[in-house]
Amino acid sequence: MNKTVKKILRIVAFALIALVVVSVSIGWFFSEQIGNRVFAEVQKSFKTELKVKDFNIELFSGFPSASLNFKDVVLKDSKGQNLLETDKISFRFGLLSLLKEEIDVKSILIDNGALLISYDKKGKPNYNVFKESKDEKASTKGLS
């Protein structure tokens, strides 16, 4: 084999090993901080109670994305009943987004869950659980 090809293969192998070591280190040392940070951000979006029994980080199951998994999740509806019950919610994000101030979530996967939608006698749904964003507040001010 050519010396140049061997050198390139060594560099690629070293880079892959370094990536694995850094990823495992991030997951090992910062999993609780990352989980608490994402949970706090998700919880800020809701007007109702969100309960999570446990969480873990998977760095390689959805490679190149990492996954933060919330287990045994219950989200209350606007009437205090359960709106969503699920075994697991996974938030998928790029590994490099962990180094940024805001984690950029690419997708959310819900596994083995039940969504319980209902309406009261006046036709109001129970799923009005999200807080208004700043953009929505600004756009509705202009209408009144």
Side-chain angles (χ1 to χ4, degrees), residues 15-125:
L16 288 174
I17 290 169
L19 178 65
V20 169
V21 168
V22 168
S23 298
V24 169
S25 298
I26 287 172
W28 181 265
F29 292 113
F30 300 108
S31 65
E32 189 168 339
Q33 292 170 339
I34 294 166
N36 289 334
R37 188 170 136 197
V38 171
F39 179 74
E41 287 301 315
V42 168
Q43 198 169 25
K44 285 181 190 177
S45 301
F46 294 113
K47 294 188 265 185
T48 61
E49 182 181 14
L50 174 67
K51 294 180 183 178
V52 174
K53 187 173 183 179
D54 194 18
F55 62 85
N56 70 330
I57 291 182
E58 294 178 3
L59 298 171
F60 300 109
S61 65
F63 191 81
S65 295
S67 181
L68 176 65
N69 303 315
F70 290 156
K71 296 179 182 175
D72 297 327
V73 179
V74 175
L75 175 64
K76 297 292 184 179
D77 67 11
S78 56
K79 300 171 187 169
Q81 303 298 316
N82 290 350
L83 174 65
L84 174 68
E85 298 176 24
T86 182
D87 290 344
K88 183 171 84 171
I89 296 180
S90 298
F91 295 88
R92 300 268 170 110
F93 51 89
L95 285 172
L96 295 178
S97 107
L98 293 175
L99 304 174
K100 298 178 184 177
E101 188 173 318
E102 288 187 9
I103 296 175
D104 183 26
V105 176
K106 293 181 180 179
S107 64
I108 300 172
L109 304 171
I110 298 175
D111 186 30
N112 197 21
L115 183 63
L116 310 166
I117 295 176
S118 66
Y119 294 87
D120 65 11
K121 291 180 181 180
K122 296 179 183 178
K124 290 185 179 181

